[in-house]
Amino acid sequence: MRDNHSAAEKIKEISGTNPLKCMKCGKCSATCPSFDEMDIRPHQFVSYVISENIEALVNSASLWKCLSCFACVERCPRDVKPGKIIDGARQLVVREKGGDYLSPNEIPELLDPELPQQLLVSAFRRYRR
Ligand code: SF4
Ligand code: SF4
Protein backbone atom coordinates (compact mmCIF):
# COMPACT_ATOMS: atom_id res chain seq x y z
CA MET A 1 0.00 0.00 0.00
CA ARG A 2 1.47 3.33 -1.09
CA ASP A 3 1.90 6.15 1.44
CA ASN A 4 0.41 9.08 -0.47
CA HIS A 5 2.19 11.74 1.56
CA SER A 6 5.60 10.11 1.04
CA ALA A 7 4.85 9.56 -2.64
CA ALA A 8 3.90 13.23 -3.12
CA GLU A 9 7.10 14.28 -1.36
CA LYS A 10 9.08 11.90 -3.58
CA ILE A 11 7.55 13.38 -6.74
CA LYS A 12 8.52 16.86 -5.55
CA GLU A 13 12.02 15.66 -4.71
CA ILE A 14 12.57 13.97 -8.09
CA SER A 15 11.12 16.86 -10.05
CA GLY A 16 12.78 19.58 -7.96
CA THR A 17 9.61 21.65 -8.03
CA ASN A 18 7.23 23.40 -5.66
CA PRO A 19 3.62 22.83 -6.78
CA LEU A 20 2.37 25.28 -4.14
CA LYS A 21 3.59 28.15 -6.32
CA CYS A 22 0.87 27.32 -8.91
CA MET A 23 -1.73 30.07 -9.37
CA LYS A 24 -3.99 27.88 -11.54
CA CYS A 25 -3.75 30.11 -14.60
CA GLY A 26 -3.97 27.12 -16.96
CA LYS A 27 -1.25 28.32 -19.33
CA CYS A 28 0.57 24.99 -19.05
CA SER A 29 -2.48 23.08 -20.26
CA ALA A 30 -3.19 25.63 -22.97
CA THR A 31 0.24 25.08 -24.47
CA CYS A 32 0.40 21.28 -24.08
CA PRO A 33 0.47 19.35 -27.39
CA SER A 34 -0.93 16.25 -25.63
CA PHE A 35 -3.78 18.09 -23.96
CA ASP A 36 -6.56 16.26 -25.87
CA GLU A 37 -5.18 12.85 -24.90
CA MET A 38 -4.73 13.58 -21.21
CA ASP A 39 -7.27 12.50 -18.63
CA ILE A 40 -5.55 14.66 -16.00
CA ARG A 41 -4.43 17.94 -17.60
CA PRO A 42 -1.05 19.46 -16.72
CA HIS A 43 -2.49 22.16 -14.42
CA GLN A 44 -4.66 19.51 -12.73
CA PHE A 45 -1.65 17.26 -12.30
CA VAL A 46 -0.03 19.97 -10.18
CA SER A 47 -3.17 20.22 -8.00
CA TYR A 48 -3.30 16.46 -7.54
CA VAL A 49 0.23 16.47 -6.15
CA ILE A 50 -0.72 19.27 -3.74
CA SER A 51 -3.75 17.29 -2.53
CA GLU A 52 -1.64 14.10 -2.48
CA ASN A 53 -4.12 12.29 -4.71
CA ILE A 54 -1.34 10.01 -5.89
CA GLU A 55 -3.39 6.94 -6.82
CA ALA A 56 -5.23 8.88 -9.50
CA LEU A 57 -1.96 10.26 -10.85
CA VAL A 58 -0.05 7.00 -11.10
CA ASN A 59 -3.01 5.34 -12.81
CA SER A 60 -3.65 8.20 -15.22
CA ALA A 61 -3.13 7.99 -18.97
CA SER A 62 -1.46 11.40 -18.76
CA LEU A 63 1.60 9.83 -17.21
CA TRP A 64 2.39 8.16 -20.52
CA LYS A 65 0.89 10.78 -22.84
CA CYS A 66 3.25 13.55 -21.74
CA LEU A 67 5.93 14.05 -24.38
CA SER A 68 8.40 15.74 -22.01
CA CYS A 69 8.59 18.58 -24.50
CA PHE A 70 8.59 21.02 -21.53
CA ALA A 71 6.58 23.64 -23.42
CA CYS A 72 4.60 23.95 -20.17
CA VAL A 73 7.81 24.56 -18.24
CA GLU A 74 8.67 27.44 -20.58
CA ARG A 75 5.17 28.88 -20.39
CA CYS A 76 4.57 28.75 -16.66
CA PRO A 77 4.75 32.24 -15.10
CA ARG A 78 5.41 30.78 -11.66
CA ASP A 79 8.22 28.38 -12.54
CA VAL A 80 6.20 25.38 -11.35
CA LYS A 81 7.47 23.05 -14.10
CA PRO A 82 4.39 20.82 -14.51
CA GLY A 83 6.13 18.64 -17.13
CA LYS A 84 8.82 17.83 -14.59
CA ILE A 85 6.17 16.96 -12.02
CA ILE A 86 4.59 14.53 -14.49
CA ASP A 87 8.03 13.10 -15.19
CA GLY A 88 8.60 12.78 -11.44
CA ALA A 89 5.41 10.75 -11.08
CA ARG A 90 6.47 8.58 -14.00
CA GLN A 91 9.83 7.97 -12.33
CA LEU A 92 8.06 7.06 -9.12
CA VAL A 93 6.10 4.35 -10.96
CA VAL A 94 9.20 3.08 -12.76
CA ARG A 95 11.17 2.89 -9.51
CA GLU A 96 8.34 1.11 -7.70
CA LYS A 97 8.48 -1.53 -10.42
CA GLY A 98 12.16 -2.03 -9.73
CA GLY A 99 13.52 -0.11 -12.71
CA ASP A 100 15.48 2.02 -10.34
CA TYR A 101 18.99 3.19 -11.07
CA LEU A 102 21.27 3.10 -14.05
CA SER A 103 24.83 1.97 -13.42
CA PRO A 104 27.79 2.34 -15.82
CA ASN A 105 28.13 -1.42 -16.32
CA GLU A 106 24.62 -1.47 -17.74
CA ILE A 107 25.84 0.52 -20.69
CA PRO A 108 26.63 -1.92 -23.45
CA GLU A 109 30.22 -2.07 -24.68
CA LEU A 110 29.27 -1.60 -28.27
CA LEU A 111 27.43 1.66 -28.29
CA ASP A 112 26.17 3.05 -31.54
CA PRO A 113 28.80 5.64 -32.50
CA GLU A 114 26.00 7.86 -33.74
CA LEU A 115 24.38 7.92 -30.30
CA PRO A 116 24.46 11.45 -28.92
CA GLN A 117 26.46 11.58 -25.68
CA GLN A 118 23.86 13.97 -24.37
CA LEU A 119 21.43 11.06 -24.30
CA LEU A 120 23.66 9.12 -21.91
CA VAL A 121 24.19 12.14 -19.69
CA SER A 122 20.45 12.69 -19.64
CA ALA A 123 19.82 9.04 -18.72
CA PHE A 124 22.30 9.21 -15.84
CA ARG A 125 20.80 12.40 -14.50
CA ARG A 126 17.33 10.94 -14.69
CA TYR A 127 18.01 7.56 -13.16
CA ARG A 128 20.69 8.42 -10.60
CA ARG A 129 18.60 10.74 -8.45
S1 SF4 B 1 6.03 18.43 -21.03
FE1 SF4 B 1 4.23 17.12 -21.09
S2 SF4 B 1 2.66 18.26 -19.97
FE2 SF4 B 1 4.25 19.72 -20.51
S3 SF4 B 1 3.59 20.62 -22.46
FE3 SF4 B 1 4.94 18.88 -22.96
S4 SF4 B 1 3.55 17.15 -23.23
FE4 SF4 B 1 2.40 18.74 -22.14
S1 SF4 C 1 1.19 27.55 -15.98
FE1 SF4 C 1 2.18 27.27 -13.96
S2 SF4 C 1 1.02 28.62 -12.56
FE2 SF4 C 1 -0.23 28.32 -14.42
S3 SF4 C 1 -1.58 26.54 -13.95
FE3 SF4 C 1 0.26 25.76 -14.98
S4 SF4 C 1 1.65 25.19 -13.32
FE4 SF4 C 1 0.11 26.56 -12.43
Side-chain angles (χ1 to χ4, degrees):
M1 186 73 177
R2 185 184 288 110
D3 175 345
N4 284 328
H5 177 68
S6 300
E9 291 301 311
K10 194 72 188 169
I11 291 171
K12 286 186 258 182
E13 180 193 323
I14 295 170
S15 61
T17 63
N18 179 6
L20 289 174
K21 292 198 298 184
C22 176
M23 61 180 187
K24 299 181 170 48
C25 67
K27 287 183 177 174
C28 51
S29 291
T31 200
C32 177
S34 295
F35 180 85
D36 288 341
E37 296 181 74
M38 288 189 167
D39 47 2
I40 299 176
R41 319 294 200 192
H43 72 287
Q44 295 173 319
F45 215 94
V46 176
S47 299
Y48 276 50
V49 172
I50 293 171
S51 59
E52 301 183 349
N53 190 354
I54 304 302
E55 285 308 309
L57 288 188
V58 299
N59 291 311
S60 72
S62 302
L63 213 60
W64 313 106
K65 295 294 181 183
C66 170
L67 305 169
S68 295
C69 68
F70 293 157
C72 56
V73 174
E74 292 295 319
R75 192 79 199 278
C76 176
R78 302 278 292 171
D79 197 30
V80 177
K81 304 184 179 79
K84 293 201 171 188
I85 292 175
I86 296 174
D87 188 54
R90 198 160 44 210
Q91 292 306 314
L92 180 80
V93 171
V94 169
R95 291 179 186 188
E96 284 179 350
K97 287 181 177 171
D100 205 343
Y101 297 105
L102 183 68
S103 64
N105 57 14
E106 287 178 273
I107 298 176
E109 288 178 11
L110 296 173
L111 283 175
D112 181 345
E114 300 296 318
L115 194 72
Q117 291 198 351
Q118 190 180 17
L119 185 146
L120 288 175
V121 173
S122 169
F124 268 109
R125 287 175 63 186
R126 171 167 295 196
Y127 292 108
R128 291 296 289 180
R129 268 189 282 180

